[in-house]
């Protein structure tokens, strides 16, 4: 006797969240994404079908395989993945789960998806991103991109956020997340009063240390004195 999974018939496609690296085709004519784990070797488009990463001929998602697109139910859980060092340059995707899917406690494994929105984090310098620029790595035929501000993009290959959405097509929305304000800065970019007090205390402590060292060097019997 073979157990059957429960069958769901939702009136609307379920929504999920995941992270991925934006990529640009070698000729600069297409844009898409590549996963951060199992399916990272297979870039996909905004509207795309999953295939088995092991090259097997079954349809994804197969029950006895790991193939298929993956996403989580909770946006916060997907955002948490962006905190790890290897995923800092990834973007957050909001997707529609299409076709057959297998529901798990934390998310879905499914056959087809539409990426509705890509949220781009800040540039590595902390400023808000205005473009996606060459990240310095890629896949065969695809160049990986990372969030960049106007100053940091420099002479690297770069695509404005709106330009990436246009190249990706299928109604994709690309939005920039708000740059995280530094706790040590005021709205106009200056240090606030608590931070200035802390800086002054640190400088005073350093000054006290230098004065102590000078006093030791100048006191009678200090090392180095009396030598002919």
């Amino acid at each position: 006797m073979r157990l059957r999974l429960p069958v769901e018939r939702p009136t609307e496609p379920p929504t999920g969240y995941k992270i991925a690296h934006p990529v640009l085709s070698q000729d600069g004519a297409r844009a898409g994404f590549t996963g951060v784990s199992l399916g990272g070797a297979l870039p996909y488009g905004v509207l795309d079908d999953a295939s088995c990463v092991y090259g097997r001929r079954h349809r994804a998602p197969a029950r006895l395989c790991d193939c298929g697109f993956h996403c989580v139910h909770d946006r916060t859980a997907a955002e948490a993945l962006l905190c790890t060092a290897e995923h800092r340059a990834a973007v957050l995707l909001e997707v529609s789960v299409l076709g057959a899917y297998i529901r798990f406690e934390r998310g879905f494994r499914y056959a087809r998806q539409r990426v509705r929105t890509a949220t781009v984090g800040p540039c590595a310098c902390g400023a808000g991103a205005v473009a996606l620029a060459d990240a310095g790595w890629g896949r065969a035929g695809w160049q990986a991109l990372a969030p960049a501000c106007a100053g940091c993009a420099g002479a690297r290959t770069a695509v404005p956020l709106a330009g990436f959405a246009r190249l990706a097509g299928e109604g994709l929305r690309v939005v920039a997340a708000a740059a995280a304000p530094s706790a040590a800065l005021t709205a106009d970019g200056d240090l606030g009063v608590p931070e200035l007090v802390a800086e002054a205390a640190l400088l005073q402590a350093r000054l006290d240390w230098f004065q102590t060292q000078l006093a030791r060097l100048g006191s009678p019997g200090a090392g180095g004195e009396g030598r002919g």
Side-chain angles (χ1 to χ4, degrees), residues 116-215:
R116 299 202 304 255
T117 305
T119 302
V120 179
C123 175
C125 73
V130 298
L132 292 166
D134 180 13
W137 62 277
R139 308 293 185 209
W142 294 88
Q143 185 177 33
L145 306 176
C149 66
C152 292
R156 292 183 293 165
T157 300
V159 182
L161 301 186
F164 184 90
R166 178 179 56 80
L167 291 174
E170 299 292 344
L172 174 69
R173 292 179 60 246
V174 180
V175 297
S182 171
L185 298 179
T186 61
D188 58 1
D190 295 327
L191 291 172
V193 173
E195 290 74 30
L196 287 173
V197 172
E199 288 287 338
L202 179 59
L203 290 173
Q204 184 62 53
R206 290 175 177 172
L207 179 59
D208 291 343
W209 182 86
F210 278 116
Q211 289 176 335
T212 301
Q213 299 305 309
L214 288 172

Side-chain angles (χ1 to χ4, degrees), residues 51-127:
S51 58
C52 181
V53 295
Y54 303 111
R56 298 169 184 165
R57 296 184 178 180
H58 55 236
R59 288 185 177 181
R63 288 181 56 191
L64 301 180
C65 187
D66 295 327
C67 60
F69 290 121
H70 295 72
C71 72
V72 294
H73 301 301
D74 184 34
R75 181 188 180 102
T76 303
E79 289 176 330
L81 299 175
L82 296 172
C83 294
T84 61
E86 63 270 29
H87 299 154
R88 290 288 179 94
V91 300
L92 176 70
L93 304 183
E94 178 183 302
V95 303
S96 291
V97 175
L98 306 175
Y101 61 81
I102 299 174
R103 180 187 290 271
F104 295 94
E105 180 181 359
R106 297 188 61 191
F108 299 97
R109 181 159 62 90
Y110 50 104
R112 183 174 171 83
Q113 78 175 3
R114 178 187 293 276
V115 181
R116 299 202 304 255
T117 305
T119 302
V120 179
C123 175
C125 73

